[in-house]
Amino acid sequence: MSNMFIRSITKCLFLFLGFISLYAQEAKYPTLSESKIIVEGDSGKWDQNKVHTLSVVVANKEGYKYWGYYGLSYYGGDPSFRKAGLIRSNDLVHWDKYEGNPIIKGDCRWPTVVLVNSVYYMFYAEYNEDNDSRIVMLSSEDGINFDNKTVVVPMEKGKQNQNPFIYFNDQDGYIYLTYYSGIEKNLDTNSVRKSLDSSSTGKNLDSTKIERSLGPSQNIWTIKLKKSKTVDGLKDAESKTLLSSPSILAAPSVTFYRDKYYLLTEAFGPKWDNKWVTLSYESKEIEGPYEESSNNPVLSDNDACAFQYVLDNQLYIFYSHCLNLIKWDWELRMVHAK
């Protein structure tokens, strides 16, 4: 056998192994199970058709392992509609609603909770009459009665600071707050919704109107992060930008799974047939840089507002599925990694 032939075979083998190694390292979000509907609003009640987000903590209290805090889809307008409720479960599929709901009775959107040293800390967004928003924090000893409001991300004129997600990273012992911060000067969500046709899918949404509404010259959508060794320290921590976009990119959540940090966001636009989708990004470091996953979108059928958690070594996503874009009706679903 000639030396040239041996060298050729060796070169091909190295190229093949390199390709296999590159494929194995490809940025890809884990394959997901079929979705399950886990929470729906009660007919005629405060949460009818508006269940939107779910934050889960391992409480092991009052006969339930998991306590979940859910918020509604109301955005802007009357702050009394924006409330938060408590649900509890032992299997993450079947949930019982707390009889005293809602536990937060107004101006509370996107509640997210972390349990640290037996204290429950809740973060959520509040709005003013111009729809500018800020993020506040409350605390509770029992997980039901919250008070001691503190501003964590202040209100800025003409800006949205919202969609908080609170995460304790046991890899480094820090508390992380991710959130959306942006300028939507020419974004009129009501006009966008009204331009939908009578179908609930939004397939016939006028893309020209969307592009005009979401002109990149006036809008900026950024995903930001704060970190602190203590929960109280988050209010004074500096923020860092993880991602930015001239079109809708919001609702971040982060977790660590199989030696990677996964960052989920929601997005919307003609690229996805004018549907809400959930995108994945990943990194070896929680502060980035983040690379877009190759199998995006990981949720694609008007699926948004994803909160992801690793519970009992299993990756779960709790997210909102839109039933009707015109009426802005939603239900809460769950998927998990296979």
Side-chain angles (χ1 to χ4, degrees), residues 253-271:
S253 68
V254 66
T255 198
F256 184 77
Y257 184 66
R258 294 179 181 172
D259 298 321
K260 290 183 181 180
Y261 289 97
Y262 289 101
L263 175 67
L264 294 182
T265 70
E266 67 181 13
F268 179 88
K271 181 178 180 180

Side-chain angles (χ1 to χ4, degrees), residues 13 36-37 42 47 95 108 112 119 149-150 157-158 164 166 179 189 209-210 217 234 237 243-244 257 289 291 309 313:
L13 180 60
K36 297 180 183 293
I37 300 172
D42 293 326
D47 59 0
W95 294 83
C108 170
T112 176
V119 178
K149 184 184 293 185
T150 302
K157 185 174 178 57
I166 190 68
Y179 62 100
T189 42
K209 291 181 181 179
I210 280 287
S217 63
L234 287 170
L243 299 171
S244 63
Y257 184 66
E291 176 185 3
Y309 297 96
N313 298 314

Side-chain angles (χ1 to χ4, degrees), residues 21-80:
S21 176
L22 180 64
Y23 180 80
Q25 296 174 16
E26 181 183 30
K28 188 175 183 180
Y29 197 80
T31 302
L32 298 173
S33 67
E34 293 293 322
S35 65
K36 297 180 183 293
I37 300 172
I38 57 171
V39 186
E40 298 176 277
D42 293 326
S43 179
K45 299 294 182 64
W46 66 282
D47 59 0
Q48 177 178 332
N49 294 332
K50 301 299 180 184
V51 178
H52 204 55
T53 61
L54 181 65
S55 177
V56 179
V57 299
V58 180
N60 288 314
K61 187 177 177 182
E62 297 185 8
Y64 295 95
K65 182 174 183 177
Y66 305 105
W67 285 36
Y69 297 86
Y70 71 99
L72 307 185
S73 63
Y74 294 108
Y75 182 80
D78 189 341
S80 67

